[in-house]
Amino acid sequence: MALFTTGEAVAVELPIARVPTRAAAFLLDLIVQIFVGIVLILLFEAVLAWMDADSAWRDAAALVGMVSAMIGYPVLFETFSRGRSLGKMAVGLRVVRADGGPIDFRHAVTRGLAGIVDFWVLGTGLIAVVVSLCSPQGRRIGDALAGTVVVHDRSRLPFAQLAAPPPWLIGWARPLDLSGLPDDLVLSMRKYLLRSRTLTPEVQDQLGRALVLAVCEKLRTPPPNGYPPLHILGAVLAERQRRAIPPPPPGLFSRHPAAQPARPAA
């Protein structure tokens, strides 16, 4: 498993596929690609022979057939099967976005084009293996450029852990304009909520107040009086996640304990 943080500052753990299973899927796909490439080249050759084309056209047809098999095959399969090629289906892998969501044509094209560098520049796939081994998330160059990761498809992907809003600040957070809140500041808020219980009271208060001032400055609103930073930041983050992420069916996951602020003492 590897931890990812989405654009909404939500922590997600994904069952990452490593080099051995990915290599097995690649070898199976390579067999299919060679077969598809041979079929396409023979088909093009037959058409060009019927048209009585010269050798330059036949060389171009061979190149088109090879490129179609090496790039077009994974792009089409991963697009229409939501991240699975035949090799990945056989060993139980799937390509997903870094937040666990399904990929689309844009992700598949980026991965397919980057595969030229990953697999075919040296002709051995060595670049993909080295980059994947050096990446904590097992990503090759194509995954890093596309914002994707390869996971074990037979493992159930977890729901993201969301912040729980303090009920007494929901009314204050609902009308806020959150469009001016930058992602790096939201990520700092999330990390603060997750780490708050490990901080000393002095550091927790100092860091929390600094974050509240920075957040309220971006929101162009004064912070509510009488509430600790943990409650204010939790309310803002929960409201941002509520707008960005559709609510999952009830009972499928529990709230993260670090994101549940305690009710203030009477």
Side-chain angles (χ1 to χ4, degrees), residues 141-187:
I141 295 175
D143 291 314
L145 293 177
T148 59
V149 65
V150 180
V151 300
H152 291 281
D153 189 37
R154 291 160 189 167
S155 299
R156 184 177 179 183
L157 296 183
F159 284 101
Q161 297 171 337
L162 306 182
W168 44 90
L169 286 177
I170 291 178
W172 171 77
R174 284 290 169 91
L176 293 176
D177 180 9
L178 305 180
S179 58
L181 206 58
D183 289 340
D184 57 345
L185 185 55
V186 175
L187 181 58

Side-chain angles (χ1 to χ4, degrees), residues 27-237:
L27 290 176
L28 292 174
D29 282 329
L30 182 60
I31 295 173
V32 176
Q33 287 172 305
I34 292 174
F35 175 77
V36 171
I38 293 174
V39 171
L40 289 176
I41 291 173
L42 292 177
L43 179 61
F44 292 155
E45 286 280 352
V47 172
L48 292 175
W50 178 76
M51 297 175 59
D52 197 22
D54 58 24
S55 59
W57 280 103
R58 294 183 179 181
D59 293 340
L63 179 62
V64 170
M66 181 180 66
V67 171
S68 299
M70 296 301 148
I71 299 178
Y73 160 79
V75 170
L76 291 177
F77 259 92
E78 290 181 2
T79 298
F80 291 106
S81 64
R82 294 299 185 93
R84 295 187 299 170
S85 61
L86 292 177
K88 290 183 177 67
M89 290 180 190
V91 299
L93 302 183
R94 182 188 294 270
V95 183
V96 298
R97 300 195 310 260
D99 60 0
I103 66 170
D104 56 23
F105 179 71
R106 176 176 58 86
H107 301 97
V109 167
T110 303
R111 296 184 80 255
L113 294 177
I116 298 175
V117 177
D118 280 324
F119 301 115
W120 309 122
V121 166
L122 299 180
T124 60
L126 180 63
I127 295 177
V129 172
V130 172
V131 174
S132 183
L133 289 174
C134 294
S135 169
Q137 297 85 25
R139 287 170 153 179
R140 63 176 178 87
I141 295 175
D143 291 314
L145 293 177
T148 59
V149 65
V150 180
V151 300
H152 291 281
D153 189 37
R154 291 160 189 167
S155 299
R156 184 177 179 183
L157 296 183
F159 284 101
Q161 297 171 337
L162 306 182
W168 44 90
L169 286 177
I170 291 178
W172 171 77
R174 284 290 169 91
L176 293 176
D177 180 9
L178 305 180
S179 58
L181 206 58
D183 289 340
D184 57 345
L185 185 55
V186 175
L187 181 58
S188 298
M189 294 164 56
R190 175 73 186 185
K191 289 181 178 178
Y192 172 79
L193 290 175
L194 293 174
R195 297 177 51 211
S196 60
R197 294 187 178 183
T198 67
L199 304 175
T200 63
E202 295 79 9
V203 173
Q204 183 184 113
D205 182 70
Q206 182 181 4
L207 180 58
R209 290 182 183 277
L211 282 173
V212 167
L213 290 177
V215 168
C216 290
E217 180 182 359
K218 295 294 184 181
L219 299 179
R220 298 181 181 180
T221 185
N225 294 324
Y227 297 98
L230 186 65
H231 296 184
I232 299 172
L233 297 174
V236 174
L237 182 60

